Amino acid sequence: MTDTTAPLLSRLSLNQETVRQWSLPELADGCARAGLRGVGLWRAPVRAYGVAAAARLVRDAGLAVTSLCRGGFFTAEDPGERQAALADNRAAIDEAAALGTATLVLVSGGLPPGSRDLPGARERVADALAELAPYATERGVRLALEPLHPMYAADRCVVSTLAQALDLAERFPADRVGVVVDTYHLWWDDTVGSQLARAGATDTATGAAGPSSRIAAFQLADWVTPLPAGVLLGRGQLGDGAVDLRWFRERVDAAGYRGPIEVEIFNPSLWSRDGTEVLAEVVARFLRHVR
Amino acid sequence: MTDTTAPLLSRLSLNQETVRQWSLPELADGCARAGLRGVGLWRAPVRAYGVAAAARLVRDAGLAVTSLCRGGFFTAEDPGERQAALADNRAAIDEAAALGTATLVLVSGGLPPGSRDLPGARERVADALAELAPYATERGVRLALEPLHPMYAADRCVVSTLAQALDLAERFPADRVGVVVDTYHLWWDDTVGSQLARAGATDTATGAAGPSSRIAAFQLADWVTPLPAGVLLGRGQLGDGAVDLRWFRERVDAAGYRGPIEVEIFNPSLWSRDGTEVLAEVVARFLRHVR
């Protein structure tokens, strides 16, 4: 690592779903050996390992937890389901706090079965954020609302663009609710540059205290085709696809974001390889396509 | 058919890809027997049958050709490829004129191989429209630019939203270049209602002569999940999915569009059935979910 690569590389974080083949101890060890300073974790493997034990493991490896994925799924109409979702999100906030991360990624949820009411579902997301934000703030956790690609609007996430995510987040102080910028979900949108500028301008406009940007997390994956059935596991290694990753990084920088840059690639072809080799490739691609 | 269903039903048109199992003679016969007044055709089967013969066949069955799919694929950087694309589009315009339809549907094309320059590709689409519009107008054909779902942005269509399509179309008079509103591509977008209003307001604003709306074609399909590999052939029968079809029809009406309403569903499960049965189902679903 040369002096010129160090500043940005020190922000690189590996989301654990990129190397699903690794156990949590392998992840902590592998990332520490590669010189990384952070990892993004998922709730299911963390809970299976034990939240306190996972927190200790990662801390002892000298790594920060850059985000916890994920809470959300707020769109149920049934009051019982809704209360269950809110309870589960409070648990996710507690887990984030225990892991020492300030960032809980939220995927809003899709349309309830049989529903065609997108505006109604989006309003229930806003209601859930209002209910959860104080609880999160008390525990030092910021809610990070993630817009997902429009191909997930029906069954996974009714928040499809950065503009929509900002519309929702701006109902709250910037230090309570932010947005996730994931290149895989947003790259196609001709308004994303102006929306990134909007995300950076938020606090300047309101004069509020808190983080200098609405951007709570920045995640990288490339867009490759053809998409697989179900369209969940077809993300591309950095540089393999259509996304101008450097353009995004520069715009996110310009929006005042100074936090971790997570690489989150869901792809079975990466999971079938040696994790150390995958991570080395991620670092090399990051230096080539993002720096 | 009752008196109250007739006015809207008279606008129903069947796009031939919905019943790919039918030959052109079967399509003309089947649509005429079902009381339809229009069909949407595709270039490949029309050329295989013979353009003049296809025009005669459809006319003799008492049907109008409501659109021809499709021209486009304008994004090549190589000058030779670009000239070939323009020549092919002039042929498509000639075919549309020969079929007696005023509407040629255009799919812009994706990113050239290895390119990540979305703005550049979009500008080449505008350049191609400028080259083709006079040729089309002389032959009584209107170019109908179709925004495709963002999941096709890399490999098929860099125009992903109605706003983008209108941005491009509005560089030209409304009677030369319009847009296609297809529910499958646009349903997820929280700005589509305001963009449909914009499409209707165009001529009022400019005072130009010509059609009363930028909307050149209105196509219906529903959104169902999970998506199949390649995401091309997973469109849903009307009423089976997440799209509020009536909401769209009302907004398109309010935008001043009075033309055909085409049902265009690419789905092998429809192609494996009897075409007459599929068409009867389309009519019944149209009356239930669109009227």
Side-chain angles (χ1 to χ4, degrees), chain A residues 30-280:
Chain A
C31 288
R33 283 176 188 273
L36 264 59
R37 305 197 189 162
V39 288
L41 299 182
W42 281 67
R43 292 182 71 198
V46 164
R47 294 175 89 159
Y49 190 80
V51 178
R56 197 163 47 241
L57 177 76
V58 173
R59 193 173 54 238
D60 289 351
L63 298 165
V65 178
T66 53
S67 74
L68 180 63
C69 296
R70 61 191 181 188
F73 296 90
F74 296 132
T75 51
E77 289 172 311
D78 175 77
E81 283 182 53
R82 177 168 182 76
Q83 287 309 315
L86 290 171
D88 184 58
N89 275 277
R90 288 189 199 96
I93 291 164
D94 292 341
E95 290 158 25
L99 291 166
T101 179
T103 305
L104 177 64
V105 174
L106 302 179
V107 170
S108 71
L111 287 170
S115 170
R116 300 183 180 105
D117 180 15
L118 279 172
R122 287 165 179 156
E123 208 46 48
R124 289 194 294 282
V125 176
D127 293 345
L129 292 174
E131 290 215 36
L132 293 169
Y135 187 91
T137 302
E138 284 166 20
R139 284 152 188 83
V141 175
R142 189 183 189 196
L143 303 176
L145 187 64
E146 181 165 20
L148 257 55
H149 192 283
M151 69 187 176
Y152 302 116
D155 55 358
R156 193 161 294 265
C157 186
V158 294
V159 179
S160 304
T161 62
L162 185 54
Q164 282 183 281
L166 288 169
D167 287 346
L168 286 162
E170 287 174 359
R171 301 186 189 195
F172 306 91
D175 59 345
R176 292 197 164 196
V177 181
V179 298
V180 180
V181 173
D182 185 318
T183 58
Y184 188 77
H185 298 303
L186 304 178
W187 73 279
W188 59 271
D189 183 354
D190 68 329
T191 73
V192 73
S194 58
Q195 294 300 322
L196 287 170
R198 171 186 168 192
T202 300
D203 281 87
T204 312
T206 64
S212 62
S213 162
R214 277 284 169 185
I215 301 172
F218 181 33
Q219 298 184 324
L220 304 178
D222 215 332
W223 180 274
V224 292
T225 56
L227 295 170
V231 301
L232 279 177
L233 305 182
R235 300 193 187 190
Q237 173 62 280
L238 311 183
D240 281 351
V243 182
D244 190 339
L245 296 167
R246 184 172 292 105
W247 180 93
F248 259 93
R249 196 264 302 158
E250 289 170 353
R251 294 304 178 290
V252 169
D253 279 354
Y257 178 75
R258 298 287 177 267
I261 306 175
E262 268 188 32
V263 175
E264 184 188 54
I265 306 169
F266 309 155
N267 195 314
S269 75
L270 298 186
W271 303 336
S272 67
R273 292 165 55 192
D274 174 68
T276 302
E277 181 191 306
V278 170
L279 176 50

Side-chain angles (χ1 to χ4, degrees), chain B residues 146-147 162 179-183 186 196 215 217-220 248 252:
Chain B
E146 181 164 20
L162 185 53
V179 298
V180 179
V181 173
D182 185 317
T183 58
L186 304 178
L196 287 170
I215 301 172
F218 181 33
Q219 298 184 323
L220 304 178
F248 259 94
V252 169

